[in-house]
Amino acid sequence: MSDPIDETMDAVGPRLKHLRLRRDVTLNQLSDATGISISTLSRLEAGLRRPTLEQLLPLARYHGVTLDSLVDAPRTADPRVDLRPIANSDGSTIIPLTRRPGGIQAYKFVIPAGVDDAVPDLHSHEGYDWAYVLNGTLRLILGDQDLRLSPGEAAEFDTRTPHWFGATSAGPVEFLSLIGRQGERTHIRASG
C-alpha cells in the first residue's frame, strides 16, 4: 500500500509543469520571477526533488493559485471555508471569495498577459458588476468603449451591456469583481 503523503508530493511536479506550460512561460522566465534556480525548477517539475514551503510560496503566488491547490490538499466539509480557485483553459484563474447564497458575490480574477489587438468575445447577462484592479492593466471592453484600468482604478456597470475582461500584452492582471443581481447597487458611505 502506498503512502498518501508520497502520492501527494509526487503529484506536485506535474501540477507545477502544467501551470507553467498553460501560461506559456519558460523555466528561465519563471526562475527570474520567483528567484528559484532553473535547475531546481526543472527537478521539481520532473519529480526528482520535493518542494519546500519556501519554494511553493513564490510558485503559488506567481501562478495565482493557493498552496492547497498545488499540493491537492483534501477539501474541508464547509464550502465557505474551502474556496478553491477555478483554472480555465485560457490560463486565467478565478478565485471565489464568498459563498453567500443570493446577494453580491466576490471573486478575484488572475488573467495572463493578453494580445492587445485580440478581438474579444463580448457577453451580456442580467446583473451588475464592479471591478477593482489590484495589479497590472485591465482591458475592459464595455459596449463600444475599450478601457484600460490601472491598479487602484475601478469600474461599475450593468452587465446587460456587452462586456469583456482581459489583460494587455504588458503582463498579467489581477482584479476583484463583485457581481450582484440586476439593479443591485453598492452602498458607499463617506465620512465628511
Side-chain angles (χ1 to χ4, degrees), residues 8-64:
T8 298
M9 295 308 291
D10 289 344
V12 172
R15 202 169 287 117
L16 288 170
K17 186 171 187 174
H18 170 76
L19 287 168
R20 180 178 62 79
L21 294 176
R22 187 179 74 193
R23 294 182 73 178
D24 197 25
V25 173
T26 67
L27 285 171
N28 195 23
Q29 291 168 318
L30 185 58
S31 175
D32 289 344
T34 62
I36 301 169
S37 74
I38 295 170
S39 62
T40 298
L41 290 169
S42 178
R43 288 194 305 268
L44 289 172
E45 288 184 2
L48 301 174
R49 181 172 179 176
R50 282 195 169 180
T52 64
L53 183 59
E54 288 80 16
Q55 293 162 337
L56 288 175
L57 285 170
L59 289 168
R61 189 174 299 118
Y62 179 82
H63 291 299

